[in-house]
Amino acid sequence: MEKMSGKLFLIVGPSGSGKGTVIKALEKKFKGFVYPISYTTRELRAREKDGESYHFISKEKFKRMIAEDDFLEYAIVHSDNYYGTAKKEIVEALKGGAVVVREVDIQGFHAIRKIIPRENLVSIFMKVPNLNDLKGRILMRGEIAPEELQHRLDSAAKELAQAGDCDYQVHNEWGKIKICVAQVEKIILEEIDGLY
Ligand code: 5GP
């Protein structure tokens, strides 16, 4: 891959660990960063809008995009839904020197690590105290089918076991999301010091 001057921050961690909340807080504070929207084949949740949290597309469209090499990475997450980060937006932003922030599952992180040069990539894993706590958070987000909940908890156990593969780990204790946001901000600001 040709030389890039920007930095891609990957926020990794189980479903319900607070990645979305951290990114929303960053979006509010750091308007100059780039926050790419991924593509998914999962159903919209209540209060979600197409083009806000994701581009919601059919499996057929997703497969066409795979064939056209549109993704930097894609993965099947929690049983049978596809999620993918669009290549062009991220690569262009990094070439232009931007700070890019995106959440991905652990598979996405491993795939991106093989493509994006070491000096342009920082990974931050969000840990949670235990799976019971995580279950509570997922249930609080809205209605979820029991099988889907189980898939998410199974994935969480696997993801937590790989937390050490990321550059940084932050702890999201129940009710202390602000501390977690501050930790992520600090990591980003230290990592981009000198870049701006
Ligand atoms: P959710 O359905 O809760 O929005 O996301 C499910 C999981 O998919 C989360 O762990 C989330 O970080 C991950 N995810 C979101 N976007 C992407 C993506 O573009 N690629 C990959 N590999 N995972 C993603």
mmCIF file of all heavy atoms in Angstrom, residues 20-35 101 178 181 185 188:
data_model
loop_
_atom_site.group_PDB
_atom_site.id
_atom_site.type_symbol
_atom_site.label_atom_id
_atom_site.label_comp_id
_atom_site.label_asym_id
_atom_site.label_seq_id
_atom_site.Cartn_x
_atom_site.Cartn_y
_atom_site.Cartn_z
ATOM 1 N N GLY A 20 -19.891 2.461 20.498
ATOM 2 C CA GLY A 20 -20.719 3.467 19.828
ATOM 3 C C GLY A 20 -20.792 4.753 20.646
ATOM 4 O O GLY A 20 -20.704 5.850 20.093
ATOM 5 N N THR A 21 -20.915 4.614 21.958
ATOM 6 C CA THR A 21 -21.010 5.797 22.833
ATOM 7 C C THR A 21 -19.705 6.577 22.797
ATOM 8 O O THR A 21 -19.701 7.812 22.734
ATOM 9 C CB THR A 21 -21.312 5.349 24.287
ATOM 10 O OG1 THR A 21 -22.415 4.463 24.244
ATOM 11 C CG2 THR A 21 -21.616 6.519 25.181
ATOM 12 N N VAL A 22 -18.590 5.864 22.817
ATOM 13 C CA VAL A 22 -17.283 6.535 22.765
ATOM 14 C C VAL A 22 -17.150 7.292 21.445
ATOM 15 O O VAL A 22 -16.753 8.465 21.419
ATOM 16 C CB VAL A 22 -16.138 5.491 22.928
ATOM 17 C CG1 VAL A 22 -14.798 6.085 22.531
ATOM 18 C CG2 VAL A 22 -16.083 4.986 24.363
ATOM 19 N N ILE A 23 -17.535 6.643 20.355
ATOM 20 C CA ILE A 23 -17.382 7.304 19.048
ATOM 21 C C ILE A 23 -18.304 8.522 18.938
ATOM 22 O O ILE A 23 -17.901 9.558 18.419
ATOM 23 C CB ILE A 23 -17.584 6.290 17.894
ATOM 24 C CG1 ILE A 23 -16.419 5.288 17.926
ATOM 25 C CG2 ILE A 23 -17.654 7.002 16.539
ATOM 26 C CD1 ILE A 23 -16.455 4.184 16.915
ATOM 27 N N LYS A 24 -19.510 8.412 19.476
ATOM 28 C CA LYS A 24 -20.425 9.582 19.457
ATOM 29 C C LYS A 24 -19.793 10.759 20.202
ATOM 30 O O LYS A 24 -19.871 11.905 19.765
ATOM 31 C CB LYS A 24 -21.762 9.218 20.105
ATOM 32 C CG LYS A 24 -22.719 8.618 19.116
ATOM 33 C CD LYS A 24 -24.174 8.790 19.585
ATOM 34 C CE LYS A 24 -25.068 7.907 18.738
ATOM 35 N NZ LYS A 24 -25.341 6.582 19.339
ATOM 36 N N ALA A 25 -19.163 10.469 21.345
ATOM 37 C CA ALA A 25 -18.535 11.544 22.130
ATOM 38 C C ALA A 25 -17.375 12.157 21.333
ATOM 39 O O ALA A 25 -17.191 13.384 21.333
ATOM 40 C CB ALA A 25 -18.036 10.986 23.457
ATOM 41 N N LEU A 26 -16.605 11.322 20.639
ATOM 42 C CA LEU A 26 -15.490 11.840 19.835
ATOM 43 C C LEU A 26 -16.020 12.712 18.691
ATOM 44 O O LEU A 26 -15.479 13.775 18.400
ATOM 45 C CB LEU A 26 -14.660 10.680 19.250
ATOM 46 C CG LEU A 26 -13.897 9.807 20.250
ATOM 47 C CD1 LEU A 26 -13.279 8.604 19.536
ATOM 48 C CD2 LEU A 26 -12.798 10.595 20.972
ATOM 49 N N GLU A 27 -17.114 12.246 18.076
ATOM 50 C CA GLU A 27 -17.703 12.995 16.952
ATOM 51 C C GLU A 27 -18.096 14.407 17.369
ATOM 52 O O GLU A 27 -17.938 15.356 16.609
ATOM 53 C CB GLU A 27 -18.948 12.264 16.433
ATOM 54 C CG GLU A 27 -18.616 11.171 15.445
ATOM 55 C CD GLU A 27 -19.845 10.394 14.971
ATOM 56 O OE1 GLU A 27 -20.770 10.200 15.782
ATOM 57 O OE2 GLU A 27 -19.865 9.976 13.818
ATOM 58 N N LYS A 28 -18.618 14.512 18.599
ATOM 59 C CA LYS A 28 -19.046 15.815 19.108
ATOM 60 C C LYS A 28 -17.851 16.731 19.320
ATOM 61 O O LYS A 28 -17.889 17.914 19.035
ATOM 62 C CB LYS A 28 -19.750 15.635 20.460
ATOM 63 C CG LYS A 28 -21.235 15.659 20.359
ATOM 64 C CD LYS A 28 -21.818 15.857 21.735
ATOM 65 C CE LYS A 28 -23.324 15.700 21.679
ATOM 66 N NZ LYS A 28 -23.852 15.366 22.985
ATOM 67 N N LYS A 29 -16.770 16.163 19.848
ATOM 68 C CA LYS A 29 -15.632 16.978 20.264
ATOM 69 C C LYS A 29 -14.627 17.220 19.136
ATOM 70 O O LYS A 29 -14.065 18.295 19.029
ATOM 71 C CB LYS A 29 -14.943 16.251 21.417
ATOM 72 C CG LYS A 29 -13.936 17.091 22.131
ATOM 73 C CD LYS A 29 -13.733 16.574 23.530
ATOM 74 C CE LYS A 29 -12.603 17.287 24.213
ATOM 75 N NZ LYS A 29 -12.362 16.755 25.544
ATOM 76 N N PHE A 30 -14.408 16.207 18.308
ATOM 77 C CA PHE A 30 -13.374 16.324 17.268
ATOM 78 C C PHE A 30 -14.038 16.282 15.889
ATOM 79 O O PHE A 30 -14.107 15.233 15.247
ATOM 80 C CB PHE A 30 -12.352 15.193 17.414
ATOM 81 C CG PHE A 30 -11.681 15.157 18.758
ATOM 82 C CD1 PHE A 30 -12.054 14.225 19.708
ATOM 83 C CD2 PHE A 30 -10.685 16.085 19.090
ATOM 84 C CE1 PHE A 30 -11.447 14.193 20.961
ATOM 85 C CE2 PHE A 30 -10.085 16.059 20.338
ATOM 86 C CZ PHE A 30 -10.463 15.114 21.278
ATOM 87 N N LYS A 31 -14.498 17.444 15.473
ATOM 88 C CA LYS A 31 -15.273 17.492 14.236
ATOM 89 C C LYS A 31 -14.398 17.316 12.994
ATOM 90 O O LYS A 31 -14.892 17.026 11.915
ATOM 91 C CB LYS A 31 -16.060 18.799 14.165
ATOM 92 C CG LYS A 31 -16.981 18.971 15.373
ATOM 93 C CD LYS A 31 -18.287 19.630 15.018
ATOM 94 C CE LYS A 31 -19.146 19.896 16.240
ATOM 95 N NZ LYS A 31 -19.844 18.743 16.757
ATOM 96 N N GLY A 32 -13.105 17.504 13.153
ATOM 97 C CA GLY A 32 -12.205 17.378 11.991
ATOM 98 C C GLY A 32 -11.795 15.939 11.694
ATOM 99 O O GLY A 32 -11.168 15.677 10.670
ATOM 100 N N PHE A 33 -12.120 15.014 12.572
ATOM 101 C CA PHE A 33 -11.787 13.619 12.310
ATOM 102 C C PHE A 33 -12.781 13.037 11.305
ATOM 103 O O PHE A 33 -13.882 13.555 11.129
ATOM 104 C CB PHE A 33 -11.866 12.766 13.591
ATOM 105 C CG PHE A 33 -10.852 13.090 14.666
ATOM 106 C CD1 PHE A 33 -10.884 12.399 15.878
ATOM 107 C CD2 PHE A 33 -9.882 14.065 14.498
ATOM 108 C CE1 PHE A 33 -9.966 12.672 16.890
ATOM 109 C CE2 PHE A 33 -8.957 14.345 15.501
ATOM 110 C CZ PHE A 33 -9.007 13.654 16.706
ATOM 111 N N VAL A 34 -12.386 11.941 10.702
ATOM 112 C CA VAL A 34 -13.280 11.266 9.740
ATOM 113 C C VAL A 34 -13.875 10.030 10.434
ATOM 114 O O VAL A 34 -13.146 9.255 11.053
ATOM 115 C CB VAL A 34 -12.485 10.853 8.473
ATOM 116 C CG1 VAL A 34 -13.343 10.022 7.537
ATOM 117 C CG2 VAL A 34 -11.951 12.095 7.757
ATOM 118 N N TYR A 35 -15.205 9.881 10.329
ATOM 119 C CA TYR A 35 -15.895 8.747 10.966
ATOM 120 C C TYR A 35 -16.646 7.974 9.883
ATOM 121 O O TYR A 35 -17.822 8.258 9.616
ATOM 122 C CB TYR A 35 -16.873 9.261 12.031
ATOM 123 C CG TYR A 35 -16.218 10.135 13.094
ATOM 124 C CD1 TYR A 35 -16.166 11.528 12.954
ATOM 125 C CD2 TYR A 35 -15.637 9.569 14.223
ATOM 126 C CE1 TYR A 35 -15.552 12.331 13.911
ATOM 127 C CE2 TYR A 35 -15.021 10.359 15.196
ATOM 128 C CZ TYR A 35 -14.985 11.735 15.025
ATOM 129 O OH TYR A 35 -14.375 12.533 15.978
ATOM 130 N N VAL A 101 -11.591 7.379 12.614
ATOM 131 C CA VAL A 101 -12.000 6.550 13.758
ATOM 132 C C VAL A 101 -13.124 5.619 13.306
ATOM 133 O O VAL A 101 -14.124 6.083 12.739
ATOM 134 C CB VAL A 101 -12.521 7.414 14.934
ATOM 135 C CG1 VAL A 101 -12.881 6.532 16.123
ATOM 136 C CG2 VAL A 101 -11.498 8.470 15.342
ATOM 137 N N LYS A 178 -17.848 8.033 31.055
ATOM 138 C CA LYS A 178 -17.114 9.297 30.850
ATOM 139 C C LYS A 178 -15.617 9.087 31.058
ATOM 140 O O LYS A 178 -14.793 9.680 30.356
ATOM 141 C CB LYS A 178 -17.624 10.371 31.807
ATOM 142 C CG LYS A 178 -18.897 10.996 31.316
ATOM 143 C CD LYS A 178 -19.202 12.270 32.055
ATOM 144 C CE LYS A 178 -20.476 12.871 31.487
ATOM 145 N NZ LYS A 178 -21.183 13.686 32.449
ATOM 146 N N VAL A 181 -14.321 7.378 27.963
ATOM 147 C CA VAL A 181 -14.202 8.332 26.849
ATOM 148 C C VAL A 181 -12.921 9.156 27.026
ATOM 149 O O VAL A 181 -12.146 9.342 26.082
ATOM 150 C CB VAL A 181 -15.439 9.259 26.768
ATOM 151 C CG1 VAL A 181 -15.206 10.409 25.801
ATOM 152 C CG2 VAL A 181 -16.684 8.474 26.360
ATOM 153 N N GLU A 185 -9.799 9.487 24.460
ATOM 154 C CA GLU A 185 -9.366 10.807 23.958
ATOM 155 C C GLU A 185 -7.871 11.009 24.205
ATOM 156 O O GLU A 185 -7.140 11.489 23.347
ATOM 157 C CB GLU A 185 -10.126 11.913 24.684
ATOM 158 C CG GLU A 185 -11.502 12.135 24.143
ATOM 159 C CD GLU A 185 -12.215 13.273 24.876
ATOM 160 O OE1 GLU A 185 -11.552 14.093 25.551
ATOM 161 O OE2 GLU A 185 -13.431 13.306 24.774
ATOM 162 N N ILE A 188 -5.752 8.997 21.826
ATOM 163 C CA ILE A 188 -5.748 9.572 20.469
ATOM 164 C C ILE A 188 -4.873 10.815 20.426
ATOM 165 O O ILE A 188 -4.021 10.965 19.549
ATOM 166 C CB ILE A 188 -7.191 9.882 19.983
ATOM 167 C CG1 ILE A 188 -7.979 8.573 19.853
ATOM 168 C CG2 ILE A 188 -7.161 10.648 18.665
ATOM 169 C CD1 ILE A 188 -9.418 8.732 19.401
#
